Amino acid sequence: MGLYLCVFEGDEELEGVEVGSYGDFGTLRDYVTHELEAGKLGSRFPTFIVHSDCDGEWSASQCERLRDELMEIAMELKTRPAVGFSSEWQRTVAKSVGLVPRNAFESFIDVDGEFLIERLRGLAEFAYRYQSPILFQ
C-alpha cells in the first residue's frame, strides 16, 4: 500500500508527495532513528519520527517544527555515506533518472525519483505557509 502526503484547501488538493510504500517511509525513519538519534526514538526529531504514519495528519501548527527537523535531517544525511535502496521500485526509478546516490540524503527518493527529505521539507513549508495540515492518505 502506498503512502501519499498532501495538503488540501477545502476539497482542492494544493500539494502532495507520493512517498512510496509505508514500509519505505518506515525505512527512512528507522535510518534517521538509528543513525542520527543514536537509536533513541524521537530524541532529536520527535515530530518526524514519533508521529504515527496512520494517525491522519501533521497539524498546521506541527508543520513549522517538521520543516525545521527535516532541514536538520537533510544537512546531516548529506554528510553520511550512501545507503542501498530498500525497494526494487526505488532501484528502477533511480536507474531511469540516472541517479547514483553520493550520500544518504540522495539514497531516499519519492516515486518520481526526487529526494524524499527535500520533498517532505517543501511540503511542510507549504503547509506551514498556508496554515493547513499535511494529510496521510
Side-chain angles (χ1 to χ4, degrees):
M1 179 189 278
L3 174 60
Y4 185 64
L5 301 173
C6 53
V7 176
F8 277 85
E9 181 174 68
D11 290 339
E12 181 184 355
E13 180 183 334
L14 301 177
E15 188 68 45
V17 175
E18 196 167 348
V19 174
S21 73
Y22 281 86
D24 298 320
F25 189 60
T27 298
L28 168 60
R29 296 200 309 179
D30 289 347
Y31 179 86
V32 170
T33 298
H34 184 264
E35 295 295 323
L36 305 183
E37 295 184 317
K40 297 176 183 148
L41 188 76
S43 61
R44 297 185 56 210
F45 309 110
T47 308
F48 181 62
I49 297 297
V50 178
H51 189 283
S52 170
D53 61 14
C54 59
D55 192 17
E57 68 180 41
W58 274 301
S59 69
S61 63
Q62 291 174 308
C63 287
E64 180 180 25
R65 174 83 176 138
L66 177 63
R67 176 202 64 198
D68 294 346
E69 288 180 12
L70 290 166
M71 283 193 295
E72 180 67 26
I73 290 167
M75 287 189 306
E76 292 189 35
L77 291 185
K78 288 176 182 179
T79 68
R80 300 202 174 244
V83 296
F85 293 115
S86 62
S87 297
E88 185 59 37
W89 73 262
Q90 292 170 329
R91 288 184 280 281
T92 301
V93 169
K95 184 176 181 179
S96 75
V97 298
L99 173 64
V100 178
R102 296 171 296 180
N103 54 51
F105 174 82
E106 295 180 0
S107 299
F108 297 95
I109 58 173
D110 70 4
V111 299
D112 297 318
E114 296 184 48
F115 302 132
L116 183 55
I117 292 291
E118 186 173 296
R119 294 279 286 129
L120 295 174
R121 190 212 53 77
L123 186 64
E125 173 64 30
F126 184 88
Y128 175 68
R129 255 189 292 126
Y130 280 86
Q131 285 299 290
S132 297
I134 296 174
L135 304 176
F136 286 69
Q137 296 191 331

